């Protein structure tokens, strides 16, 4: 068997394994969706949930799922999947497992812009969505400009991003102390990453943005695979590395901003989802599909814990993901060179 044939066989085997992993994670996700739609003050059996989803539910189940739990579960799925894909893109482009949107300042910049809009101008709904998107793009341009040295390199992006994130956190703190008590309470709940009062209108906007941006990411995924081999190899294969990196990172920034606009900064999901997916798939594959599914599982499972872990208390989902993600980040830092 020639080297080419062995490489082709490895690609086929890797693609099959990726599909299997994606299928298993989707099955887990479906189970979590049924639990998320069924549990609560008005419990619904799985049969009732399925009947309501296919349009044959009774009045109670239709109301509970359509008005109360459906938007929250949909937001958890879309936010998690968006952050999973965004984290996979950033980590693969920068070639650093720590370089997620949380760490390199994109999430913090998007949060600061959203918080400023909430406190100073009372922006909400779709207006908040576009404000956060613009803020994330501005911060990403700032990070790229400061880190650019004949291209985008991993260590510089991480270090510059940490500095920009610190600046953004300072702006967020200033906004919290500048507003009224009511504004500060609303802003603080959003800043902690919460699905407790998600806006159904924003969920619809997020769904459209997610479809468009994921298609863009999948179209660019072959370039992403080439970039993981290094800039020199990518150039020798006819790819323009810096242009490809900019387009991929732009897609990741928009995905992150859409997620933050919907639920606030849900921390560490982008950091955890892609490495877990890549470890499950193996073979050095980028695995954006499994990363999206794993991200959705993380957020949905965390939201269920946030709702029901403490009786009578509903926590922001970002608190749960932070409790899980912070030790993971410390472990990454401890084992990296």
């Amino acid at each position: 068997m020639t080297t080419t044939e062995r490489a082709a066989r490895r690609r086929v085997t890797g693609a099959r394994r990726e599909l299997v992993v994606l299928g298993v994670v989707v099955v887990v996700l479906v189970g979590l969706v049924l639990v998320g739609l069924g549990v609560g003050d008005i419990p619904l059996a799985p049969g009732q949930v399925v009947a309501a989803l296919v349009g044959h539910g009774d009045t109670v189940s239709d109301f509970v799922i359509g008005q109360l739990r459906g938007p929250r579960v949909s937001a958890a799925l879309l936010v998690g999947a968006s952050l999973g894909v965004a984290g996979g893109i950033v980590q693969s482009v920068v070639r650093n497992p720590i370089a997620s949107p949380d760490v390199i300042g994109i999430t913090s910049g998007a949060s600061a812009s959203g918080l400023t809009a909430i406190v100073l101008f009372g922006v909400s709904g779709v207006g908040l969505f576009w404000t956060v998107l613009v803020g994330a793009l501005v911060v990403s341009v700032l990070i790229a400009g400061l880190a650019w040295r004949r291209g985008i390199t991993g260590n510089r992006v991480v270090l510059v991003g940490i500095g920009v994130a610190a600046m953004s956190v300072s702006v967020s703190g200033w906004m919290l102390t500048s507003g009224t008590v009511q504004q500060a309470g609303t802003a603080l709940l959003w800043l902690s990453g919460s699905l407790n009062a998600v806006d159904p209108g924003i969920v619809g906007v997020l769904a459209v943005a997610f479809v468009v941006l994921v298609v863009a990411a999948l179209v660019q995924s072959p370039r992403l695979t080439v970039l993981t081999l290094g800039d020199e190899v990518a150039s020798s294969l006819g790819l323009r590395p810096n242009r490809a990196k900019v387009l991929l990172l732009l897609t990741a920034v928009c995905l992150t901003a859409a997620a933050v606009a919907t639920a606030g900064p849900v921390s560490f999901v982008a950091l955890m989802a892609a490495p877990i997916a890549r470890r499950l798939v193996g073979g050095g594959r980028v695995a954006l599909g499994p990363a999206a599914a794993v991200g959705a599982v993380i957020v949905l499972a965390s939201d269920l814990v946030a709702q029901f872990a403490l009786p009578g208390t509903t926590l922001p989902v970002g608190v749960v993901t932070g409790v899980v993600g912070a030790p993971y980040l410390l472990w990454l830092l401890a084992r990296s060179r």
Side-chain angles (χ1 to χ4, degrees):
M1 183 181 296
T2 65
T3 303
T4 303
E5 290 173 339
R6 284 196 296 269
R9 176 171 292 186
R10 283 197 298 269
R11 285 195 296 269
V12 172
T13 302
R16 288 176 179 173
R17 181 180 174 89
E18 184 171 339
L19 287 175
V20 171
V21 170
L22 180 60
V24 172
V25 178
V26 168
V27 169
V28 174
L29 194 57
V30 170
L32 289 173
V33 168
L34 293 177
V35 173
L37 294 175
V39 298
D41 293 334
I42 305 175
L44 299 176
Q48 291 177 288
V49 173
V50 174
L53 291 176
V54 299
H56 299 292
D58 54 36
T59 304
V60 174
S61 59
D62 284 345
F63 173 76
V64 170
I65 292 176
Q67 301 297 322
L68 301 179
R69 298 175 191 162
R72 182 175 190 136
V73 170
S74 300
L77 293 174
L78 291 168
V79 167
S82 299
L83 292 175
V85 175
I89 292 174
V90 173
Q91 289 168 355
S92 297
V93 168
V94 180
R95 301 175 67 195
N96 190 321
I98 301 175
S100 74
D102 311 87
V103 176
I104 66 172
I106 297 173
T107 301
S108 300
S111 303
S113 63
L115 199 59
T116 302
I118 292 172
V119 172
L120 296 185
F121 307 106
V123 176
S124 61
V126 178
L128 180 62
F129 183 95
W130 292 111
T131 301
V132 171
L133 177 59
V134 172
L137 290 173
V138 170
V139 169
S140 63
V141 170
L142 176 63
I143 294 170
L146 293 174
W148 190 277
R149 285 296 182 275
R150 291 179 295 180
I152 298 174
T153 58
N155 291 338
R156 290 189 63 85
V157 169
V158 172
L159 293 175
V160 169
I162 290 173
V164 172
M167 293 170 55
S168 300
V169 169
S170 299
V171 172
S172 297
W174 178 32
M175 288 297 106
L176 285 174
T177 59
S178 299
T180 64
V181 174
Q182 182 178 2
Q183 288 174 328
T186 301
L188 189 60
L189 178 63
W190 180 81
L191 194 61
S192 60
S194 176
L195 296 169
N196 295 342
V198 65
D199 187 340
I202 290 189
V203 175
V205 176
L206 174 60
V208 175
F210 175 77
V211 171
V212 173
L213 293 170
V214 166
V215 169
L218 293 176
V219 169
Q220 298 176 83
S221 60
R223 300 176 184 174
L224 189 59
T225 302
V226 174
L227 286 173
T228 59
L229 302 175
D231 289 358
E232 292 184 2
V233 175
S235 298
S236 67
L237 294 175
L239 184 67
R240 298 171 62 182
N242 289 329
R243 179 181 178 183
K245 287 180 181 181
V246 168
L247 293 176
L248 284 161
L249 290 175
L250 180 62
T251 304
V253 167
C254 292
L255 282 167
T256 303
V260 171
T262 302
V266 182
S267 57
F268 295 118
V269 177
L271 177 71
M272 295 186 291
I276 293 173
R278 287 195 296 268
R279 185 173 292 273
L280 291 173
V281 172
R285 297 181 66 85
V286 176
L288 292 183
V294 170
V297 166
I298 291 173
V299 175
L300 189 51
S302 298
D303 190 48
L304 290 172
V305 173
Q307 292 182 71
F308 304 110
L310 299 177
T313 302
T314 301
L315 298 172
V317 66
V319 172
V320 179
T321 59
V323 168
V324 176
Y328 176 76
L329 176 59
L330 292 175
W331 176 75
L332 274 181
L333 292 171
R335 68 184 291 268
S336 66
R337 290 176 293 179

